[in-house]
Amino acid sequence: MDGLRRHKSMFLLPGLLTLFLIIIFPLLFTIRVSFSGWNVSNPRMDFIGGTNYSAMLHDSRFWASITRLVLLAGGTVLIQYVIGFGVALLVWRNVRGRRFWRVLFLVPMMTTPVVMAAIWQTIFHESLGPVNDLLGMLGLTRIPWLTESGPALAALMTVEVWQWTPFMFLLLLAGLLSLPKEPFMAAAIDGAGTWRTFWKVTFPLMAPVSVAAIIIRLIEASKLSDSVYVLTSGGPGSSTETPGYYLYIQGLRDQQTGYSGAMSLTYLVLMIVTLTVVAALLTRAFKLKGDA
C-alpha cells in the first residue's frame, strides 16, 4: 500500500508544482510586495508595514472604481442573461435556419476585446460615427458618447453586452438541449400554455445552468479593463475606470508596485467574498423558485 501511495503522489507532483508556480508563488510574492515601498524611485523590497493599505483606505478613486465595476458587471451580466436566454429559447425551437443563426450569433465572441472595442470606438465617434448619423436622421440630438461620463458608461456597457451575450447564449442553449423531455410532456398533457410551461418547467430546470453561467460571466466581468483602455482610457476624467484599469495605471504606468500590490490583494479578497455571497443568493433564489 505504501508503494501504491508513493506512486499516486508521484503522479500528483507535476500538477502540484504547476499549481505552486502559477498561483501560490505569485500570490505569496504579491503579499510581500504589498508591504514594501517599491515604486519607480525606490525599486526595493523594504518593509513599510501597512502604509500601502492605509493609503488605499483613503483612496476615493479606488473605491469609486469598485462601485462602478459592481454596477457595470451587475447591469451587463443581467442584460446578457435575459437576451442570451431569449435567443437560446428561440434557437432551441424549430426555427428556420437555426444552425446559421447559432454560428452568426457567436461571431462577436470570437473577436478579441481590444479589436471589438476599437470598432465600437469608431461607431460611437461623436462626429464620424454611424450612431450619431442615425440619431441625426431621426431628428435627435447628437450624443457625445465618449466625452461625457453617462454616455461613456452606456457605450462601455453596450460593448460588453455585444461581445459576451453569445457566451451566455451558448451555455444556456447547451443547458436547454440537455433538459429531459418527460416534464414537458407532462406539462403538455396537463394543458399548460407556453408561458406557464416556461415559468413552471423550463426556468426551474435551468436553474443550475443559469447560476453557473451568471457566476462565470461575473468572474470575467470583474476583470474588465481591456475594453476600458481602448474605448475610453478610463475617461472622461476617471468616470469609466474599473479596478483592473486603475491597477494598470498605478502598477505599470506609474510604477507604484507596492501600492498596486496592496490594491490587488484587497480587490481579490473583495471579489472572492462578493462572488461567493452572490452565488449563494442566486442558488437560494432559483431553489425557492423551483420549489414554488
Side-chain angles (χ1 to χ4, degrees):
M1 288 295 291
D2 289 341
L4 180 61
R5 190 173 299 169
R6 194 179 305 115
H7 281 87
K8 287 182 178 178
S9 301
M10 291 299 292
F11 278 113
L12 288 175
L13 189 59
L16 292 174
L17 284 175
T18 305
L19 184 68
F20 177 80
L21 289 174
I22 65 173
I23 297 180
I24 306 299
F25 174 72
L27 181 61
L28 295 176
F29 184 72
T30 305
I31 293 173
R32 175 64 185 91
V33 167
S34 70
F35 289 101
S36 74
W38 187 353
N39 57 38
V40 64
S41 61
N42 179 35
R44 290 182 299 182
M45 296 278 281
D46 51 338
F47 184 76
I48 60 170
T51 305
N52 288 327
Y53 289 94
S54 177
M56 182 195 65
L57 290 176
H58 298 90
D59 189 346
S60 58
R61 191 173 166 183
F62 174 65
W63 296 109
S65 70
I66 288 185
T67 305
R68 191 175 302 115
L69 177 68
V70 171
L71 297 175
L72 276 173
T76 55
V77 171
L78 178 62
I79 296 171
Q80 290 165 20
Y81 177 73
V82 172
I83 297 176
F85 207 160
V87 178
L89 285 170
L90 288 175
V91 177
W92 181 42
R93 301 296 182 187
N94 290 322
V95 178
R96 179 177 295 180
R98 62 178 179 175
R99 289 188 178 180
F100 169 76
W101 294 115
R102 284 180 190 177
V103 175
L104 183 66
F105 203 66
L106 294 179
V107 170
M109 197 178 70
M110 299 175 188
T111 312
T112 60
V114 172
V115 173
M116 185 58 66
I119 294 172
W120 278 98
Q121 189 183 43
T122 306
I123 293 174
F124 283 120
H125 194 280
E126 189 170 348
S127 57
L128 303 175
V131 175
N132 272 344
D133 288 344
L134 181 62
L135 292 177
M137 291 168 62
L138 296 174
L140 301 174
T141 307
R142 289 176 172 265
I143 298 175
W145 290 104
L146 304 178
T147 53
E148 283 192 5
S149 56
L153 281 173
L156 193 57
M157 292 180 72
T158 303
V159 175
E160 279 293 294
V161 170
W162 175 264
Q163 178 149 35
W164 294 113
T165 297
F167 179 79
M168 193 71 84
F169 156 77
L170 199 63
L171 290 182
L172 294 170
L173 179 62
L176 288 170
L177 292 174
S178 66
L179 293 181
K181 299 187 183 303
E182 290 79 6
F184 296 95
M185 294 171 64
I189 292 172
D190 289 343
T194 304
W195 175 249
R196 191 175 177 189
T197 302
F198 169 76
W199 203 239
K200 296 293 184 182
V201 180
T202 311
F203 193 65
L205 287 176
M206 285 291 290
V209 179
S210 296
V211 172
I214 291 172
I215 293 300
I216 290 172
R217 274 304 304 140
L218 283 175
I219 292 172
E220 286 299 315
S222 69
K223 296 181 283 188
L224 175 64
S225 61
D226 38 14
S227 300
V228 176
Y229 178 81
V230 177
L231 193 68
T232 64
S233 296
S238 59
S239 60
T240 56
E241 276 183 358
T242 59
Y245 185 72
Y246 188 49
L247 282 169
Y248 156 74
I249 292 175
Q250 292 290 333
L252 296 179
R253 194 190 71 181
D254 298 344
Q255 296 288 307
Q256 301 294 322
T257 309
Y259 184 52
S260 63
M263 287 196 300
S264 300
L265 286 174
T266 305
Y267 176 48
L268 176 66
V269 172
L270 285 175
M271 288 300 104
I272 291 173
V273 172
T274 304
L275 290 172
T276 303
V277 171
V278 169
L281 291 176
L282 284 175
T283 304
R284 185 177 178 186
F286 277 105
K287 185 178 180 182
L288 288 175
K289 176 59 191 167
D291 294 340

